[in-house]
Amino acid sequence: DVKVTQSSRYLVKRTGEKVFLECVQDMDHENMFWYRQDPGLGLRLIYFSYDVKMKEKGDIPEGYSVSREKKERFSLILESASTNQTSMYLCASSSSHETRGPDTQYFGPGTRLTVL
Amino acid sequence: RKEVEQDPGPFNVPEGATVAFNCTYSNSASQSFFWYRQDCRKEPKLLMSVYSSGNEDGRFTAQLNRASQYISLLIRDSKLSDSATYLCVVIRPADYKLSFGAGTTVTVRA
C-alpha cells in the first residue's frame, strides 16, 4: 500500500524560528513535492524534486528551501518563520510516465503549521 | 485569470440525487486532468483521471470539453460518504506540474 508520511500533524512555532518539515515515501518514487494549502487558494506548489539532490522552485518558493539527500526523503525548511507562513503543508510523491510526465500524486496527511 | 477555476459551492444535495459541477482551465494546450477528493482535515486522494474525452467509474463520470476548456464531474445516486471537497487538477503542458483548483464542496444530506 502506498504510503507518504510527514513528521508532524500539528506544529506551533514563533516568528523567526527555523522550521523543518520532513516527508518520507516508501514507494521508490522519483518525484516529490511540497505544497501549501490555504482556504480559497487551493494547493500551491512550493518546491519539487525529480531526483536525489535535485530541486526546482515551484510557484511560491520565497521564504522556503528544500533538501533531498535520499530518494525517500524530502525536507522543507523555513529559514525564518513568519506569520504569513501559517498554513497546511502537504507533501506528495509520484513516479514518472514516459510520455505524460509525472503520474498520480500521493499525498501525506499534511502538517498544520501555526506561526505566532 | 487563474489557471484552474472552480465553483466553491457548497452543493447541498439529498441522498440519491445527482450533482454535477465544472472546472475551467485557462491553458488550451492542457491535455491531462484529474479529479481529486479531499475529506475534511485529510489529504487529497485521486478520484479519477481524465485523459481523453471523459471517464466513468461507477457513479462518477468526468467529461472534458476542450472547445470550452472545462471538465465536469457528475455524481449519480449520491451517498452520504460522497460529502467532500473535489479538487480539479490540470497538468501544465510546459513543465508537467499540477495546477490545482481551490475545490468544490459537496454535502450530501440524509
Side-chain angles (χ1 to χ4, degrees):
Chain A
D1 198 18
V2 164
K3 196 146 190 187
V4 181
T5 56
Q6 295 184 227
S7 50
S8 306
R9 291 301 303 273
Y10 300 94
L11 211 52
V12 179
K13 295 290 181 181
R14 295 201 176 276
T15 301
E17 280 193 81
K18 192 168 185 175
V19 182
F20 292 87
L21 303 182
E22 303 283 340
C23 174
V24 178
Q25 50 96 2
D26 64 0
M27 297 160 284
D28 200 35
H29 282 166
E30 299 85 2
N31 311 309
M32 296 188 74
F33 309 82
W34 274 107
Y35 296 89
R36 62 178 283 176
Q37 185 175 28
D38 301 287
L41 295 178
L43 277 75
R44 292 179 291 167
L45 182 64
I46 304 171
Y47 265 98
F48 62 100
S49 170
Y50 287 148
D51 203 350
V52 175
K53 295 192 186 294
M54 181 275 182
K55 59 187 178 184
E56 287 195 28
K57 293 179 180 179
D59 299 319
I60 51 164
E62 296 78 19
Y64 304 94
S65 62
V66 290
S67 171
R68 192 160 181 207
E69 295 298 316
K70 293 184 178 181
K71 190 175 186 180
E72 67 271 18
R73 189 179 297 268
F74 192 36
S75 303
L76 180 70
I77 302 147
L78 286 66
E79 295 290 341
S80 177
S82 62
T83 54
N84 63 13
Q85 291 179 310
T86 292
S87 186
M88 169 68 84
Y89 290 87
L90 289 159
C91 173
S93 73
S94 74
S95 60
S96 289
H97 188 280
E98 273 187 15
T99 56
R100 8 173 237 268
D103 215 324
T104 304
Q105 292 194 8
Y106 297 90
F107 286 85
T111 297
R112 170 74 63 186
L113 172 66
T114 302
V115 183
L116 302 174
Chain B
R1 183 184 172 187
K2 287 184 181 178
E3 289 185 69
V4 183
E5 294 200 67
Q6 294 184 249
D7 181 342
F11 287 76
N12 296 308
V13 299
E15 260 188 302
T18 295
V19 60
F21 41 90
N22 293 338
C23 159
T24 58
Y25 58 95
S26 61
N27 190 334
S28 59
S30 300
Q31 296 290 321
S32 300
F33 312 86
F34 298 108
W35 282 105
Y36 275 72
R37 172 201 169 115
Q38 186 172 24
D39 294 314
C40 189
R41 301 184 191 281
K42 299 279 190 179
E43 71 273 21
K45 292 184 179 179
L46 180 68
L47 178 66
M48 56 198 311
S49 307
V50 189
Y51 288 118
S52 54
S53 62
N55 196 8
E56 186 171 326
D57 183 4
R59 297 181 295 106
F60 296 83
T61 301
Q63 289 193 319
L64 169 63
N65 185 315
R66 292 189 187 277
S68 301
Q69 292 181 215
Y70 74 85
I71 60 174
S72 62
L73 183 66
L74 183 145
I75 308 173
R76 286 185 299 276
D77 189 23
S78 300
K79 312 291 184 191
L80 295 176
S81 58
D82 294 334
S83 297
T85 297
Y86 292 86
L87 306 177
C88 174
V89 182
V90 178
I91 295 182
R92 304 200 295 221
D95 55 17
Y96 291 115
K97 293 178 201 170
L98 273 59
S99 292
F100 286 80
T104 297
T105 298
V106 172
T107 302
V108 182
R109 61 182 188 274

